[in-house]
Amino acid sequence: MVIRRKWFMLVLAVLVAVGIFPLGTVATSAGDARYIPMEVQNSGFEESAGSSSIPGWRTFSADAAKGTSVVATDTLHKSGSQSAMMTDGSTTLPLGLISNPIPVVAGETYRLTAEILVAQSSVRAYIKFFNDAGKEQLPNATALANTLNQWSLLEVEGSVPATATKAEIWFYMGASGMSKSYIDDVSLSLKTLEPEPELPVSFGEPIDLGDAVKIPLSQSAVYGKNASGENEQYIAVVGSPAVFYAVNAETGEQRFKQQLPGSDVVWAMTIGSDGNVYVSGTTNGILYRYLPDERRLESLGVNPSDKFVWDLKASYDGKIYGATYPNSKVFEYDIATAVFKDLGSMKPGQQYARGLGVTDDYVYVGIGTKAYVVRYDRRTGEKKDIAIPTQGESGTISEIQVYRGKLFVNAGSKLYVIDVATEQLLNTITYQSKISEPSPYQPNLIYYKLADTLYTYNMDTNETDKVEGAPPLPGDTAVKNHAWMTLTQGEKVGRTVLVGMAAFTDSFFFDPTDNWYRLIYPKVESQGVAVNAMEAYGDQLFLGGYQRGLSIFDLKTQQYTYTNKGFHQSEGIGSYGGKVIFGTYSGAKMYAYDPGQPLDYSEYGAGNPGLVLDIEEDQDRPFTMTEGEGKLFIGTFPSYGKLGGALTIMEKVSGDDGTVTSTVYDVYRDIVPNQSIFGLAYKDGKVYGGTSPVGGLGITPTETVAKMFVFDVARREKIAEFTPVIPGLDGPPKLIGELTFGPDGLLWGAVDGTIFAMNPDTYEIVKSKVVYPTIYNSSKYRPFYLKWGQDGLLYTTLGRKLTVVDPATLQTKQLIEGTVNLLALGGDGSVYYTLGAKLYRLPVPLKEVTLEVGSNEFTRGEDSLITVKGVLANGHEARLSEGEVQITVTDPAVADVRDGALIGKNPGIAEVQATVSLHGVTLKTVPVTIRVVSSMESVRGLLEEGKAEGNIMTSVFMQLSNALAQAEHQRDKGDASKSIKHLQDMLKHLEHVRVKDGAIETGIYENLKTDIAWLISHMISM
């Protein structure tokens, strides 16, 4: 049970910060430069209070009697509890504050920074240089601070003259006027262009774990014939890249297959008047043509309108029309002349030309993100709006057909039927995606699907009707195309039937005259689709596919254990109350999976995973979520054409017995006006959020600067909103997120290629670093992920690069080259990331290996179990099953290796050693010494075995057994010499009987001789 509670939020306090700057600094970088802090004593003026004597600093012309003073004060301060207040109330005296000398290196460049609040006039800052004799060496470096009544960061750089050895920091007020300023957070840093020392973190070579989410998803299909009259079906399976197929439409047998490089999804496909198939994707604007008679796919070039093609439709007179995004343009391709033509924007200001309908005279164009239907005159180019019920509202018109004087307009789940002549609305039908052409049996009927049920619409009577007796159609996805096909084989040969294909290529045949039905699956391969979301939980890795699909990867066995082809596109994956939570597109629907229960997916209700929440409120994409206080906090982007994301708080309600009885949730829309939620973190009753000004697709942001906000969970109020000013950024941040709390208690965040840490109580930036150029040229929807490793390091997709950060020093290392959008950490410290459809693992390298044996001493035929273990560089146990382990014995005559154990062969001494190769690292264990020994008991065992198998004559067995019994008897009495004598007698008897045919088998003879001789030697040496 899900309960929606409506809240109206009263914001008690909104703290708009003009700038938030560092409390302290670490080595920072800007561009190719790095700045290494120098020691400035008492740089924050915390070591004194109210005294004109400030440790680490001296003054000149400070004379309170004359109106000049420099004191440490707690009146105003940027950080800490104090600053230095310089007051120059004299019109004749200058005033100065000077640091103790700081050693510098000639020729190097140094940067001075300070936080300054000017209350009156101005103050000038200097870096002054001096030689060993204390004489000033020119030039010095200087900058003026004159921004009144707010803290501002002053920066100045200067190069050390060749004769200088020391620097002093000066703050100076001239003699001619009166001034007052507060100074805080002074720093001096050495500027260097040397590359930053690399963080000492290493991983093995990337392991390719294959396509993570493989599904046969197709967003388009058409039907046609080849020259031999064979019915064919044309399909483009989503993937990286997409793959075009031609199959026999009646059997599903594959006839042709070719990748479409650079395309991942194909929505646009049509049959031209020439009988050929025309195809275009969503990334490169290329128009392809497939020639069925030649079984050949060719490129016709790039259309002149836009790269993203939503729809293709053909005219009867040899033209192909294409609808594009993001400028609502339509293009025309002339089959005869092979010439493209850009017809321009069909609705300036709108982004989507989404669906097309073509007649002899007109091209009807479905528009979004505000819904319109535009009629384009093919001869004159005149454009006219055709009225629809949702005209001008947020939405997209994705399909248009014209039959028997009626215009059929797809507006999501609604089908508008409009009279072409009068432009009057005739009907509004609830349906799903596609309609058929008119029936050849009853030309007044068209067919359509809703869920798994088939319906008709009567164009004469304007009525809909359920098709009684029709079996259920594929219900989990929309139909991608309908057609009427005359079959050429099988029981219905010669009959014309309705055919259609659902999104997972399941294709049906239906004869409306007798309700005959058949379902086939064309022989197309599941394709790896781009991974859109990834998260590790327990021993499992969850991966959501672009458009559709979900896979589970077992981190221990390194195997994929589950794939769900129909699961909705996951935008974000998190956890709540021991369950994995999937935030899906579209509609911001949340699904929950309990790893401890059997898998039983339900799209619309209880299941595992099953639907637990539909946020609604015009929200679409839940990219970020965090857990705390028994609640799940979800951040979303709005739907198409909308601005203003939402913070949703979801909570399970339990009965007295602990059983969950319901789920309640509250949605706080527009918590930061006109901004979407880009990152979330929870701590101590507060939710901290970062935003993106970007809204749903198809609308221009009204804001230009990202914000942070703080939400008090108990009071259900936003208590702060501000834009942090992060050193090194070229202007205010445009995206803030992801966010996470570190072991140090700081709130860590990412702004594209920049990392920062904030005091969560004061909202002050404690440390930051521009690691990569922060130019916002990647996705404005997907956060830059931050994951804390067990090693205390922060792993991130900062700047869309797989990077590890030392939180103490901000030292970084890029782990692999190229763009990386997703990362997760395994329990053994491995880093998982995706590139397109593929999952990769960066393994922690092997550090050491050990070998143990069950027993170092054993007899012939006995075994001694071998145990080889490895330890990774981070201290975790290595999974050696992923590598190669080779066991060697220095003397194979002593022992052999079989099925993970040593098998004693002959008495003797040898060493056993393991060589382990794992993920590019090969190590050897310390050799272990083993002894294969003989005993009177083992000799008796050999005798008994030989007798049982018929390899020793009974008389020989009795003689040898008696001699052995005498040797055992004397040994037990403590008379070693007599025992040895009986063993020597055994050897003599063995030699005597060896010459007799059949007396003893050679192998038994050799083993007995060796063991008895070893026993004698061993007893003599004791």
Side-chain angles (χ1 to χ4, degrees):
M1 180 180 179
V2 180
I3 302 171
R4 172 71 168 91
R5 301 185 298 190
K6 192 72 175 179
W7 286 78
F8 296 91
M9 184 170 59
L10 175 65
V11 181
L12 291 184
V14 176
L15 309 179
V16 180
V18 172
I20 294 179
F21 298 101
L23 275 169
T25 57
V26 297
T28 60
S29 65
D32 294 328
R34 260 194 331 121
Y35 293 89
I36 302 173
M38 309 295 291
E39 184 176 354
V40 178
Q41 184 181 353
N42 196 16
S43 61
F45 307 101
E46 301 294 318
E47 296 179 23
S48 54
S51 170
S52 58
S53 175
I54 301 175
W57 299 81
R58 69 184 190 276
T59 63
F60 68 84
S61 298
D63 188 340
K66 297 180 180 179
T68 59
S69 64
V70 179
V71 297
T73 179
D74 60 4
T75 304
L76 290 172
H77 45 85
K78 176 59 183 172
S79 66
S81 59
Q82 297 186 152
S83 68
M85 179 176 67
M86 296 181 65
T87 304
D88 182 3
S90 169
T91 58
T92 59
L93 291 177
L95 180 65
L97 174 64
I98 307 167
S99 73
N100 284 348
I102 302 166
V104 292
V105 178
E108 298 290 352
T109 299
Y110 292 80
R111 179 176 69 173
L112 164 65
T113 66
E115 294 287 354
I116 299 178
L117 187 151
V118 178
Q120 183 181 359
S121 189
S122 63
V123 62
R124 184 169 288 277
Y126 291 88
I127 309 175
K128 292 199 173 191
F129 301 105
F130 299 85
N131 63 16
D132 286 337
K135 184 176 181 180
E136 184 175 354
Q137 305 295 295
L138 298 177
N140 53 42
T142 183
L144 182 70
N146 57 7
T147 302
L148 293 175
N149 300 318
Q150 68 180 45
W151 288 102
S152 297
L153 182 67
L154 177 142
E155 296 183 81
V156 59
E157 290 189 0
S159 296
V160 182
T163 54
T165 58
K166 296 179 177 62
E168 294 178 350
I169 300 169
W170 286 47
F171 297 99
Y172 177 80
M173 294 175 174
S176 60
M178 293 188 289
S179 303
K180 184 176 182 179
S181 292
Y182 297 84
I183 301 165
D184 206 351
D185 296 339
V186 181
S187 72
L188 186 70
S189 302
L190 169 65
K191 180 178 182 180
T192 176
L193 298 178
E194 295 178 4
E196 180 182 274
E198 195 173 72
L199 189 61
V201 175
S202 62
F203 288 89
E205 290 298 311
I207 301 170
D208 184 347
L209 299 172
D211 290 338
V213 184
K214 297 179 71 173
I215 56 175
L217 175 65
S218 178
Q219 298 293 9
S220 57
V222 293
Y223 295 87
K225 285 182 177 290
N226 58 26
S228 63
E230 183 181 54
N231 290 314
E232 289 195 329
Q233 181 180 358
Y234 307 103
I235 304 167
V237 175
V238 172
S240 295
V243 178
F244 174 84
Y245 289 91
V247 301
N248 182 301
E250 299 181 54
T251 67
E253 293 297 326
Q254 191 180 124
R255 295 288 184 260
F256 178 83
K257 169 187 173 183
Q258 184 170 318
Q259 291 184 345
L260 301 175
S263 295
D264 51 7
V265 182
V266 173
W267 291 91
M269 191 182 300
T270 192
I271 302 288
S273 59
D274 57 355
N276 294 321
V277 185
Y278 292 82
V279 181
S280 195
T282 59
T283 54
N284 54 24
I286 295 175
L287 180 65
Y288 294 95
R289 176 166 57 201
Y290 175 69
L291 297 90
D293 298 339
E294 301 179 34
R295 291 188 180 170
R296 179 169 62 87
L297 186 72
E298 62 183 2
S299 170
L300 301 176
V302 177
N303 80 72
S305 296
D306 273 311
K307 299 295 179 62
F308 195 121
V309 181
W310 270 113
D311 197 10
L312 291 174
K313 287 290 172 27
S315 69
Y316 295 108
D317 58 354
K319 304 291 196 303
I320 302 294
Y321 292 92
T324 70
Y325 165 90
N327 297 295
S328 67
K329 287 185 173 185
V330 171
F331 68 85
E332 177 187 272
Y333 177 77
D334 189 308
I335 295 174
T337 64
V339 173
F340 282 101
K341 182 180 179 181
D342 180 11
L343 303 183
S345 175
M346 295 294 109
K347 196 70 176 176
Q350 297 301 309
Q351 294 188 344
Y352 290 83
R354 177 66 174 84
L356 294 175
V358 179
T359 68
D360 290 345
D361 299 319
Y362 302 109
V363 177
Y364 292 90
V365 185
I367 300 295
T369 51
K370 297 291 179 64
Y372 295 92
V373 173
V374 175
R375 188 185 73 186
Y376 175 85
D377 191 306
R378 294 178 59 200
R379 293 173 178 81
T380 67
E382 179 186 1
K383 289 177 283 189
K384 178 186 178 181
D385 286 355
I386 303 298
I388 57 173
T390 54
Q391 183 164 314
E393 298 177 10
S394 292
T396 301
I397 305 302
S398 58
E399 189 77 20
I400 299 175
Q401 289 105 343
V402 185
Y403 301 127
R404 291 169 58 93
K406 292 179 175 58
L407 196 64
F408 295 88
V409 177
N410 178 339
S413 63
K414 302 297 182 184
L415 179 68
Y416 301 137
V417 184
I418 298 171
D419 188 287
V420 171
T422 66
E423 300 180 11
Q424 295 300 305
L425 179 69
L426 301 177
N427 205 336
T428 299
I429 302 169
T430 300
Y431 90 128
Q432 193 175 13
S433 181
K434 298 280 185 178
I435 64 174
S436 75
E437 295 178 349
S439 167
Y441 301 106
Q442 293 177 271
N444 59 320
L445 293 184
I446 63 161
Y447 287 76
Y448 64 92
K449 180 176 92 81
L450 180 60
D452 62 356
T453 303
L454 191 63
Y455 291 83
T456 60
Y457 169 71
N458 190 313
M459 291 182 279
D460 291 343
T461 66
N462 196 28
E463 294 177 337
T464 64
D465 196 14
K466 179 180 176 181
V467 179
E468 296 297 337
L473 302 182
D476 56 350
T477 60
V479 171
K480 295 303 172 181
N481 201 8
H482 287 291
W484 292 98
M485 180 184 296
T486 301
L487 301 181
T488 62
Q489 55 186 291
E491 61 184 295
K492 286 285 184 175
V493 61
R495 292 290 296 173
T496 299
V497 299
L498 178 67
V499 298
M501 188 193 82
F504 295 115
T505 72
D506 28 353
S507 301
F508 63 86
F509 301 77
F510 175 72
D511 187 338
T513 64
D514 60 4
N515 287 347
W516 174 83
Y517 179 82
R518 187 162 73 99
L519 183 69
I520 69 167
Y521 290 88
K523 291 179 172 56
V524 299
E525 290 88 17
S526 292
Q527 283 282 110
V529 297
V531 180
N532 202 61
M534 178 172 67
E535 188 61 75
Y537 186 81
D539 293 327
Q540 294 178 311
L541 187 64
F542 298 86
L543 303 110
Y546 175 57
Q547 302 229 319
R548 289 266 181 168
L550 170 68
S551 289
I552 300 176
F553 182 80
D554 190 298
L555 296 173
K556 285 191 172 181
T557 65
Q558 296 288 288
Q559 299 292 321
Y560 294 98
T561 59
Y562 175 77
T563 294
N564 183 326
K565 67 182 181 181
F567 198 79
H568 288 279
Q569 175 176 307
S570 297
E571 303 286 36
I573 305 175
S575 62
Y576 170 55
K579 296 184 178 180
V580 180
I581 305 296
F582 303 90
T584 68
Y585 166 85
S586 60
K589 294 178 175 63
M590 312 298 294
Y591 290 82
Y593 167 66
D594 185 344
Q597 299 299 320
L599 284 153
D600 182 23
Y601 170 59
S602 174
E603 181 178 1
Y604 300 110
N608 196 36
L611 181 66
V612 293
L613 176 62
D614 185 351
I615 293 176
E616 299 178 326
E617 294 283 339
D618 288 327
Q619 299 302 295
D620 231 9
R621 301 177 189 269
F623 271 102
T624 180
M625 61 190 86
T626 190
E627 181 180 7
E629 209 175 290
K631 301 172 178 64
L632 180 67
F633 305 96
I634 308 163
T636 50
F637 280 73
S639 55
Y640 287 77
K642 302 284 186 180
L643 291 173
L647 172 67
T648 298
I649 303 176
M650 185 180 94
E651 184 174 7
K652 295 182 291 188
V653 178
S654 300
D656 294 338
D657 61 353
T659 303
V660 175
T661 58
S662 64
T663 298
V664 297
Y665 71 103
D666 307 317
V667 181
Y668 297 89
R669 177 77 187 274
D670 243 5
I671 191 165
V672 175
N674 297 322
Q675 301 224 28
S676 302
I677 311 301
F678 202 68
L680 290 174
Y682 170 86
K683 185 180 182 184
D684 298 337
K686 298 174 184 177
V687 177
Y688 297 78
T691 73
S692 165
V694 173
L697 292 173
I699 190 168
T700 302
T702 59
E703 310 301 315
T704 58
V705 177
K707 303 279 188 179
M708 292 188 71
F709 67 88
V710 184
F711 184 89
D712 188 298
V713 178
R715 292 157 54 185
R716 298 290 169 130
E717 294 168 348
K718 180 174 65 175
I719 60 174
E721 179 185 310
F722 53 87
T723 295
V725 177
I726 301 171
L729 278 187
D730 185 14
K734 297 180 181 179
L735 305 165
I736 303 175
E738 199 48 86
L739 301 173
T740 181
F741 277 95
D744 53 10
L746 297 176
L747 177 62
W748 289 78
V751 178
D752 198 344
T754 298
I755 192 79
F756 70 88
M758 174 184 289
N759 184 316
D761 299 320
T762 65
Y763 314 145
E764 293 178 297
I765 303 296
V766 176
K767 58 180 78 174
S768 67
K769 182 176 181 180
V770 181
V771 180
Y772 305 113
T774 300
I775 52 180
Y776 310 105
N777 63 349
S778 64
S779 171
K780 308 301 186 296
Y781 294 87
R782 185 186 308 285
F784 299 90
Y785 296 105
L786 303 167
K787 307 285 184 184
W788 291 100
Q790 297 177 18
D791 53 10
L793 301 178
L794 184 58
Y795 293 81
T796 173
T797 57
L798 206 65
R800 309 294 180 206
K801 301 179 190 299
L802 188 59
T803 302
V804 58
V805 180
D806 185 329
T809 65
L810 296 190
Q811 201 173 349
T812 64
K813 181 178 182 178
Q814 184 176 347
L815 298 178
I816 63 162
E817 294 295 325
T819 298
V820 174
N821 291 312
L822 301 170
L823 82 93
L825 301 180
D828 67 348
S830 293
V831 178
Y832 293 84
Y833 65 96
T834 63
L835 295 176
K838 288 191 176 295
L839 174 66
Y840 292 86
R841 173 185 169 202
L842 286 179
V844 180
L846 190 63
K847 182 181 180 181
E848 61 182 52
V849 287
T850 58
L851 181 146
E852 296 178 352
V853 294
S855 174
N856 293 77
E857 185 173 288
F858 47 98
T859 61
R860 179 197 304 279
E862 286 187 335
D863 61 28
S864 180
L865 186 66
I866 302 170
T867 302
V868 181
K869 293 183 178 181
V871 178
L872 302 177
N874 59 8
H876 284 272
E877 184 176 347
R879 287 193 291 263
L880 299 186
S881 58
E882 297 175 9
E884 181 181 349
V885 179
Q886 184 178 9
I887 309 294
T888 56
V889 180
T890 54
D891 188 350
V894 172
D896 195 6
V897 179
R898 192 183 311 152
D899 298 328
L902 290 165
I903 307 298
K905 292 178 67 178
N906 289 293
I909 298 174
E911 287 186 338
V912 60
Q913 186 177 41
T915 301
V916 179
S917 296
L918 181 67
H919 307 319
V921 177
T922 299
L923 299 176
K924 291 181 180 291
T925 63
V926 173
V928 174
T929 300
I930 60 168
R931 291 166 53 90
V932 175
V933 299
S934 180
S935 67
M936 295 186 191
E937 289 73 18
S938 67
V939 170
R940 183 167 297 282
L942 283 172
L943 287 171
E944 297 286 353
E945 181 182 347
K947 179 188 176 186
E949 294 178 355
N951 294 323
I952 303 177
M953 291 178 60
T954 301
S955 59
V956 173
F957 170 78
M958 294 299 296
Q959 289 175 324
L960 294 174
S961 183
N962 288 336
L964 179 61
Q966 291 298 321
E968 290 173 324
H969 177 68
Q970 296 301 328
R971 178 199 63 187
D972 294 342
K973 287 175 59 178
D975 193 337
S977 60
K978 289 183 179 180
S979 180
I980 292 170
K981 172 69 169 58
H982 287 296
L983 291 174
Q984 290 170 336
D985 290 343
M986 286 184 72
L987 282 178
K988 291 177 182 177
H989 189 61
L990 274 174
E991 290 298 325
H992 176 71
V993 301
R994 186 180 69 159
V995 299
K996 295 182 178 180
D997 290 340
I1000 188 168
E1001 191 267 334
T1002 302
I1004 295 293
Y1005 163 79
E1006 294 292 345
N1007 289 344
L1008 283 170
K1009 179 182 175 183
T1010 301
D1011 283 16
I1012 296 168
W1014 186 90
L1015 267 175
I1016 293 170
S1017 174
H1018 179 67
M1019 294 177 70
I1020 291 173
S1021 65
M1022 291 179 63

